[in-house]
Amino acid sequence: LHVFDPVDVLGVVLTVIYYTKGDVRRSLLACATHRELNPDGSLVGLRDVDCIAFIAGALIGAFSGLSSFPKDWVEAVLKTNKEIYGIDIMKNALGLLELIESA
């Protein structure tokens, strides 16, 4: 499989979320450190772990809401994106929500 095979990646994400019972910290950390192993446990290769963790976070957020994430993690992401990229994620998200609700 390709390092970012969509079906495989979604399988990893759903499996992790299931076995961590949706615990945000455990799910994201498990996805961010995922490795492909042989049946004997030896390393085959690294995975596209930032994307795998992103998908896990998006699904958990969609089902459980922003309040399910550690507050300090959310604050750090919002602050860093404003400082480095000039992007106000919260403003963008609320604008999208407003657009969806008005449709």
Side-chain angles (χ1 to χ4, degrees), residues 77-89:
V77 168
L78 295 174
K79 179 182 177 198
T80 302
N81 275 275
K82 273 186 188 177
E83 290 175 0
I84 294 175
Y85 303 112
I87 298 172
D88 187 335
I89 294 175

Side-chain angles (χ1 to χ4, degrees), residues 24 28 33 38-39 45 50 60 64 74 85 87 96:
V24 175
L28 295 179
T33 59
N38 280 323
D50 58 334
I60 293 169
S64 302
V74 173
Y85 303 112
I87 298 172
L96 177 60

Side-chain angles (χ1 to χ4, degrees), residues 10-57:
L10 186 58
V12 169
V13 169
L14 294 176
T15 300
V16 166
I17 291 171
Y18 176 80
Y19 281 101
T20 61
K21 296 180 175 47
D23 178 279
V24 175
R25 290 176 193 259
R26 290 179 62 220
S27 294
L28 295 179
L29 292 173
C31 286
T33 59
H34 180 66
R35 305 291 186 254
E36 184 177 355
L37 304 174
N38 280 323
D40 68 359
S42 61
L43 181 67
V44 172
L46 304 177
R47 302 296 306 270
D48 192 1
V49 293
D50 58 334
C51 291
I52 293 171
F54 169 81
I55 293 168

